[in-house]
Amino acid sequence: MSRCDRLVDVGRRQFLRGGAFAAAGVAAAATLPQEAAAQVAPALARVEYPSNRLGNVADLKPNEPLDVAYPDDNAPGVLLKLGKPVEGGAGPDEDIVGFTTVCPHKGFPLNYSADDRTLSCPGHYSRFDCEAGGQQIWGHATQNLPQYVLRVDDKGDIYAEGLDELLYGRLSNVL
Amino acid sequence: MAYKRQIDRLPIIPADAKKQNVTCHYCIVGCGYHAYSWPVNRQGGVEPSANAFGVNLAEQQAAETDAWYAPSMYNIVKQDGKDVHIVIKPDQDCLVNSGLGSVRGARIAEMSFSRQRSTQMQRLTDPLVWRYGQMQPTSWEDALDLVARVTARVIADQGEDGLFVSAYDHGGAGGGYENTWGTGKLYFGAMKIKNIRIHNRPAYNSEVHATRDMGVGELNNCYEDAELADTIFAVGMNSLETQTNYFLNHWIPNLRGTSMDKKQQQLPDEAHAPARIVIVDPRRTVTIAACEAEAGKENMLHLQIKSGTDLALFNALLTEIADKGWIDKDFIAASTIGSADAGSPADAGHPAALTDFKSAVEGNRMTAEQASEITGLSADDIRKAASWIAEPKEGGKRRRTMFAYEKGLIWGNDNYRTNGALVNVALATGNVGRPGGGVVRLGGHQEGYVRPSDAHVGRPAAYVDRLLIEGKGGVHHVWGCDHYKTTLNADEFKRVYKQRTDKVKDAMNSVPYGDRDAMVEAIVKAIGEGGLFSVDVDIVPTRIGQACHVVLPAATSGEANLTSMNGERRMRLTERYMDPPGQAMPDCLVAARIANNLQRVFTDMGKADVAAKFDGFDWKTEEDAFMDGYHNNAAGGEFVTYERLRAMGTNGFQEPATGFEDGKIVGTQRLFADGKFGTSDGKARFMKAEWRGLQAPGKQEQKDKYAFLINNGRANQVWQSAYLDIENDFVMDRWPFPFIEMHPDDMAKVGVKEGDLVEVFNDAGSTQAMAYPTTTARPGETFMLFAFPTGVQGNVVNAGTNELVIPNYKQTWANIRKISDAPASVKHLSFKNQEYSAA
């Protein structure tokens, strides 16, 4: 596997984050001792996902991947404007989707193929279909590709607000 | 949308969690895993001191980390009656898989019985009997009494030939040394059952009689040989899908060149290069695409033969190699017979003569041009393959070639001779028992066979399915087999089997269940009128189980301790990490309890001599069965105990054991390393294996009559007949129906689009599949998922077998027509190209 980039070596990709929301959350948590936090805010059934601005509709060109990260800068992903509506697609054309680009099998970075709109893993050859909710076309992962829950506001800003599967390399999607 | 679990975090394994050894119970490779379990009211933490990995889990972990597990590796199960969290994750220190988990093994936890999380709720929890017109739960005592009374009565009336048995012979789930010994001691020890078959074929025979007859046991090398070979010659296999982590962890490094250090270190006196690979297959597989991406097209030769013509290719390779003088003369002289007189002629049990090297070369002589006519390959490619196999390396050193084959050959045309013709090439080039060599089957299940002698079965063995169709037998014991999904001529088999078992059901409906004497009489009368009483032992309700009158619930791997060996004879113990569902028991104990009950019933019948044969089944645990069976009967078994295996962890040892030293079992890395083979004189045999066209009855006629080859095989997500996968949302979301790969031009001819349901039909039967457009498929050649419950490929496989009753699933031809547009469960699926491409 030496020829493949390890996830930690992928480098910080270009991403945009909803800085205000995340920073406020961190500050609030930091002011409370752990025991008090447990009493004041009982554990929730799901992790709290940040609402992070990943870009604007105007930034996206059909079938050109935009490197992003979600829910934090150690979780690389991609935004795609597919150019045709898909189930779960966001935006005015219902064609914007976002996925992690970390393979859920062993954590290698996925490559995007514009020809057939798939993400493929150079580590062990798994392939995922960006037009079918990240379904594993063929591969070793025991889950389909984690996809972003996206919201597009009136200004065309695209926010990620959740994930539908566990990300590779973390036992909680939000660390 | 594709199926998603909506799981965003998992409980963390605490530092003090219990850790047990697990060998994946699915495929032959037997990857090492560990089961971590801890009380349900506790959890670990992100701090290094608070979790089993000793790392900070508040940070993103790197690729290939040990400190992560997928949702499919997690569950909540019962352990000694208490709820526990369980994580079953791949072991990084296991030499087999080095931490890799396949899409099958990485779901072991999710595929476990859990009332708490509603997984595998299909599992059988109680013995079931036919009562008041349907299957109803009962006690072991009641069910076993009915089984024993009917079985004993049939034996008394018809002799032991009236008892038909279908029983797995493999390792892993639904198998293992404990359980093959349990059933073996019952049917081959206490009785001498002749009408017995194995889980995937209609007789009690070897899939590879030829190589064994030649003295070359089929699992003769070690997985490291794939890292050391100069050339890998692979036939009818698709290892990326079906021996996944053997391929990824041991073949790929050699193709990438990352095993060069190991080659130079272990074999310092010769030139080395990254491996070349030749793959013989009528279909372009994902394995071939991966080899191309890793080795480069210049080091990858796909011999895309016409289906069923492998024998002609192998004979041409032998001819070319012999004529060029690229043979290992010293090996041939020292380790193979020197004259045809020392061989043996063909007879009914041996469909080809065994002979010496010279006679084999002359008898099998076929030029590259002749083989080109038969196989459709170019003569140049055949010569190129011969040179890749055997042309001496730089400096004149012998080329190390590993030969590997699996179901494309085993379930292919003329099994015996084709197997022999391939072993001929390996023997001629001295590639057995040496580093970087071996001529091996790749395997399906793990192995785990230890039984009393089966010599009474004879060769050729009884064609059990045919005898059942012909109305023979009165009682049928079925162990972990599902003919309805995994046999040939399956349409006809199911039709007759249902008729015969329905007769007995109707008879059982005519008397009160509680009147045991009247019940047995009614059943026996129905059997006399062509009925069949059927008993199914399994972990889940099967399709053939729908026809049965008694169903007995079995425990699977991890619910009981279980030993097996993998494709390099690596033996491990999977420790019991959870409770079996309800009243389920390991098969060895089910067999013992049947034996106990038969003894009681024969005693009651006044047959003390027969009853005495059922002594020796007083096992209380699976370990008792192991000690009685493997420990006392297997070669080297005296060195092996549960305690010793537990200490050997997920790496175990390679069979046969040869000693116990310094607290470790000593194993055998390669068979035949001393140049002595498995024959009476220690010399290997060559085979005279002339080409004779499509050998099995009806195949050539079928080919002439129907438009499409219905080649068939496996997909990586699906284990065996999908008996557990059928309740796994991830798998069934991807494959609600079996796929049939078709060239787009063929789809246009038939008038179907991607995902449409099609009927596949011929004179043997009919079945269904969903069309998967595949541009790399050759027009007229399709490939269908085998043994899948929602479309059984075996329905269209005719009854023709080779002389030794080996089925010929692969050479099947049929027509195809549209049934309907894609159903709702199919519409969201991806039908894109499954091949990885480096570009």
Side-chain angles (χ1 to χ4, degrees):
Chain A
M1 300 305 157
S2 56
R3 74 194 181 85
C4 298
D5 293 332
R6 298 297 184 94
L7 176 59
V8 287
D9 300 322
V10 170
R12 299 287 177 259
R13 294 177 180 220
Q14 176 197 344
F15 67 94
L16 305 159
R17 62 195 281 191
F21 186 95
V26 168
T31 58
L32 289 169
Q34 253 191 332
E35 300 81 20
Q39 284 170 12
V40 173
L44 301 171
R46 288 180 64 85
V47 304
E48 276 292 270
Y49 282 102
S51 176
N52 288 2
R53 181 182 175 279
L54 301 182
N56 188 281
V57 171
D59 302 334
L60 293 174
K61 299 195 181 91
N63 205 19
E64 283 188 20
L66 176 68
D67 286 349
V68 296
Y70 184 82
D72 54 60
D73 60 359
N74 284 318
V78 68
L79 272 189
L80 285 164
K81 183 174 172 58
L82 295 169
K84 70 168 197 185
V86 293
E87 206 181 333
D93 301 325
E94 295 177 358
D95 66 341
I96 298 171
V97 291
F99 294 97
T100 177
T101 50
V102 180
C103 182
H105 173 228
K106 294 302 282 183
F108 290 95
L110 302 172
N111 299 323
Y112 184 69
S113 163
D115 288 349
D116 63 358
R117 296 162 193 233
T118 58
L119 285 161
S120 298
C121 181
H124 310 97
Y125 329 115
S126 299
R127 285 168 48 68
F128 303 89
D129 189 344
C130 299
E131 296 180 305
Q135 183 164 62
Q136 186 168 246
I137 303 164
W138 186 90
H140 313 285
T142 54
Q143 54 196 58
N144 293 309
L145 195 61
Q147 183 170 0
Y148 299 163
V149 178
L150 296 178
R151 176 175 62 85
V152 178
D153 71 8
D154 297 345
K155 292 177 290 190
D157 284 339
I158 305 165
Y159 291 87
E161 302 187 323
L163 287 156
D164 58 9
E165 277 280 5
L166 191 66
L167 293 172
Y168 182 88
R170 45 179 77 193
L171 293 173
S172 171
N173 274 344
V174 177
L175 294 172
Chain B
M1 283 279 286
Y3 166 74
K4 299 291 175 69
R5 290 185 185 78
Q6 299 294 347
I7 286 177
D8 49 22
R9 64 180 164 199
L10 289 173
I12 292 172
I13 306 172
D16 61 351
K18 185 198 281 187
K19 184 178 177 184
Q20 292 172 290
N21 297 319
V22 175
T23 300
C24 176
H25 51 254
Y26 299 124
C27 90
I28 180 77
V29 178
C31 294
Y33 281 72
H34 282 124
Y36 296 84
S37 55
W38 67 98
V40 76
N41 61 345
R42 293 189 53 229
Q43 60 183 326
V46 296
E47 307 79 23
S49 61
N51 62 65
F53 310 111
V55 303
N56 178 7
L57 293 177
E59 293 174 355
Q60 169 73 40
Q61 305 299 309
E64 298 188 297
T65 180
D66 191 35
W68 186 74
Y69 34 98
S72 61
M73 301 179 196
Y74 168 78
N75 213 334
I76 297 176
V77 299
K78 289 275 187 204
Q79 191 179 78
D80 301 324
K82 296 192 174 69
D83 288 342
V84 295
H85 297 280
I86 193 159
V87 169
I88 304 177
K89 60 187 288 297
D91 177 11
Q92 289 204 321
D93 297 325
C94 177
L95 298 169
V96 174
N97 55 311
S98 303
L100 289 169
S102 76
V103 67
R104 299 171 300 280
R107 288 185 289 119
I108 295 173
E110 186 177 73
M111 303 269 270
S112 296
F113 177 72
S114 171
R115 283 198 187 284
Q116 300 79 354
R117 294 181 77 242
S118 290
T119 54
Q120 292 299 324
M121 291 300 289
Q122 63 167 339
R123 287 289 303 277
L124 296 168
T125 55
D126 299 274
L128 304 171
V129 290
W130 185 259
R131 195 172 71 209
Y132 321 133
Q134 62 187 49
M135 296 308 281
Q136 308 268 16
T138 191
S139 65
W140 275 106
E141 187 184 20
D142 177 61
L144 290 169
D145 179 70
L146 183 61
V147 170
R149 289 227 218 172
V150 175
T151 301
R153 182 66 181 274
V154 166
I155 291 171
D157 291 352
Q158 302 187 18
E160 288 180 347
D161 289 354
L163 169 56
F164 276 53
V165 177
S166 299
Y168 55 78
D169 68 341
H170 54 71
Y177 289 112
E178 294 79 2
N179 299 323
T180 59
W181 177 252
T183 47
K185 187 171 181 178
L186 177 61
Y187 298 114
F188 292 168
M191 297 181 270
K192 295 282 178 219
I193 298 302
K194 201 173 67 183
N195 292 320
I196 180 169
R197 60 161 274 173
I198 297 171
H199 59 283
N200 62 1
R201 51 197 190 271
Y204 204 88
N205 47 16
S206 168
E207 291 170 338
V208 288
H209 273 308
T211 192
R212 292 182 184 179
D213 289 348
M214 295 164 80
V216 185
E218 67 271 19
L219 297 176
N220 48 64
N221 74 355
C222 61
Y223 281 179
E224 195 176 66
D225 285 323
E227 298 174 54
L228 301 174
D230 294 303
T231 300
I232 298 175
F233 186 84
V235 180
M237 44 62 84
N238 183 12
S239 294
L240 178 56
E241 299 209 67
T242 55
Q243 294 90 16
T244 303
N245 293 329
Y246 174 30
F247 180 79
L248 290 175
N249 204 31
H250 301 279
W251 293 37
I252 289 293
N254 200 356
L255 298 174
R256 278 183 181 164
T258 51
S259 66
M260 287 291 285
D261 287 351
K262 190 177 264 189
K263 288 182 171 188
Q264 264 139 16
Q265 188 194 354
Q266 293 193 22
L267 308 163
D269 301 324
E270 58 193 82
H272 292 292
R276 290 166 168 173
I277 183 163
V278 183
I279 297 183
V280 182
D281 199 315
R283 170 188 180 223
R284 182 177 162 90
T285 58
V286 290
T287 302
I288 289 168
C291 289
E292 248 178 40
E294 297 293 355
K297 286 192 176 177
E298 67 279 12
N299 291 313
M300 158 78 216
L301 178 59
H302 177 196
L303 295 179
Q304 196 165 11
I305 56 168
K306 288 181 191 166
S307 177
T309 63
D310 311 57
L311 173 53
L313 168 65
F314 303 157
N315 283 348
L317 292 173
L318 181 68
T319 303
E320 173 78 5
I321 287 167
D323 288 356
K324 282 273 176 25
W326 294 335
I327 55 169
D328 190 333
K329 291 193 182 100
D330 294 343
F331 175 88
I332 292 169
S335 294
T336 68
I337 55 174
S339 81
D341 298 339
S344 50
D347 62 30
H350 305 80
L354 301 178
T355 188
D356 68 326
F357 172 68
K358 274 186 189 156
S359 309
V361 170
E362 288 320 306
N364 301 347
R365 179 161 286 284
M366 179 169 291
T367 65
E369 281 70 22
Q370 288 168 328
S372 169
E373 285 285 310
I374 296 167
T375 61
L377 301 169
S378 77
D380 284 348
D381 274 350
I382 295 172
R383 290 192 193 96
K384 185 174 176 182
S387 111
W388 283 18
I389 289 169
E391 186 172 9
K393 297 200 278 187
E394 178 192 328
K397 293 278 184 174
R398 187 182 66 87
R399 190 168 290 279
R400 297 175 186 274
T401 296
M402 180 184 115
F403 299 81
Y405 59 95
E406 193 41 42
K407 290 296 193 303
L409 187 156
I410 290 169
W411 294 157
N413 176 41
D414 212 350
N415 161 297
Y416 190 83
R417 292 187 178 195
T418 305
N419 186 196
L422 181 62
V423 177
N424 279 345
V425 182
L427 288 172
T429 55
N431 276 303
V432 192
R434 292 166 166 181
V439 54
V440 294
R441 68 168 295 184
L442 290 161
H445 290 84
Q446 276 167 79
E447 303 294 335
Y449 188 95
V450 58
R451 276 179 178 158
S453 168
D454 63 356
H456 65 278
V457 172
R459 258 170 80 170
Y463 190 162
V464 167
D465 283 18
R466 174 169 286 168
L467 294 174
L468 284 169
I469 289 171
E470 289 170 355
K472 305 289 197 308
V475 61
H476 187 198
H477 293 184
V478 183
W479 295 79
C481 301
D482 198 348
H483 307 229
Y484 278 29
K485 287 189 288 188
T486 60
T487 197
L488 67 167
N489 196 24
D491 250 2
E492 176 70 356
F493 181 86
K494 285 181 270 199
R495 191 183 65 76
V496 175
Y497 200 82
K498 181 173 184 302
Q499 278 178 357
R500 295 191 63 194
T501 52
D502 275 351
K503 269 187 193 168
V504 172
K505 284 180 176 174
D506 291 342
M508 292 176 79
N509 291 342
S510 70
V511 288
Y513 183 77
D515 187 345
R516 183 55 43 100
D517 289 340
M519 178 61 71
V520 172
E521 287 307 318
I523 292 169
V524 168
K525 182 163 178 285
I527 290 170
E529 292 161 359
L532 183 72
F533 181 77
S534 181
V535 181
D536 185 33
V537 188
D538 212 308
I539 64 169
V540 291
T542 58
R543 299 296 160 107
I544 196 171
Q546 292 169 0
C548 295
H549 309 94
V550 178
V551 172
L552 302 175
T556 190
S557 181
E559 298 163 358
N561 295 289
L562 190 75
T563 54
S564 303
M565 76 170 195
N566 79 348
E568 55 175 348
R569 294 162 285 99
R570 190 177 293 277
M571 181 176 185
R572 276 81 50 90
L573 169 69
T574 292
E575 297 181 82
R576 174 179 160 140
Y577 52 74
M578 63 179 282
D579 300 345
Q583 303 188 60
M585 295 195 293
D587 289 22
C588 54
L589 297 185
V590 178
R593 299 297 89 86
I594 290 175
N596 299 153
N597 276 272
L598 282 168
Q599 184 165 55
R600 173 180 58 81
V601 171
F602 278 120
T603 304
D604 290 350
M605 290 165 78
K607 295 177 180 287
D609 53 330
V610 181
K613 294 181 183 169
F614 294 88
D615 282 343
F617 286 97
D618 50 356
W619 311 324
K620 299 283 187 294
T621 67
E622 60 273 22
E623 188 168 8
D624 294 340
F626 179 82
M627 295 305 284
D628 188 47
Y630 188 90
H631 183 76
N632 289 339
N633 292 277
E638 67 269 30
F639 303 113
V640 185
T641 64
Y642 271 15
E643 188 190 356
R644 290 175 180 181
L645 281 172
R646 216 172 277 126
M648 301 288 283
T650 59
N651 284 324
F653 74 97
Q654 287 176 270
E655 293 187 62
T658 59
F660 183 71
E661 292 168 14
D662 303 327
K664 288 182 176 168
I665 302 167
V666 181
T668 307
Q669 189 181 15
R670 294 181 184 88
L671 301 186
F672 316 124
D674 59 358
K676 294 199 167 44
F677 287 85
T679 53
S680 53
D681 56 12
K683 308 269 191 194
R685 270 73 172 149
F686 287 85
M687 183 181 285
K688 199 172 164 206
E690 303 100 323
W691 166 251
R692 48 180 175 168
L694 291 177
Q695 176 271 330
K699 294 294 181 186
Q700 185 61 49
E701 293 80 355
Q702 204 180 54
K703 183 181 182 186
D704 295 340
K705 190 170 170 186
Y706 296 100
F708 297 101
L709 172 72
I710 313 296
N711 192 1
N712 53 89
R714 302 296 189 173
N716 69 334
Q717 295 99 329
V718 182
W719 172 243
Q720 221 245 359
S721 63
Y723 59 89
L724 290 179
D725 294 313
I726 189 92
E727 282 215 344
N728 187 266
D729 291 328
F730 175 71
V731 173
M732 294 311 287
D733 176 66
R734 182 70 182 116
W735 305 125
F737 297 94
F739 58 78
I740 185 164
E741 295 177 358
M742 297 178 72
H743 189 274
D745 292 350
D746 286 343
M747 289 176 62
K749 269 188 212 161
V750 178
V752 292
K753 310 173 297 299
E754 65 180 28
D756 286 358
L757 278 188
V758 297
E759 182 169 60
V760 180
F761 63 101
N762 60 18
D763 47 7
S766 56
T767 188
Q768 65 177 8
M770 63 179 185
Y772 201 119
T774 306
T775 52
T776 56
R778 288 196 290 204
E781 298 191 1
T782 71
F783 182 89
M784 181 174 167
L785 181 59
F786 181 70
F788 204 68
T790 53
V792 174
Q793 194 274 339
N795 286 4
V796 293
V797 179
N798 78 354
T801 67
N802 85 340
E803 295 93 332
L804 300 179
V805 202
I806 296 294
N808 184 188
Y809 295 107
K810 302 290 186 184
Q811 278 72 48
T812 294
W813 287 266
N815 285 345
I816 297 174
R817 62 186 162 214
K818 180 171 173 174
I819 294 175
S820 75
D821 287 345
S825 60
V826 171
K827 278 187 176 149
H828 70 286
L829 299 186
S830 178
F831 286 95
K832 289 181 181 172
N833 185 357
Q834 301 187 45
E835 280 187 17
Y836 174 82
S837 157

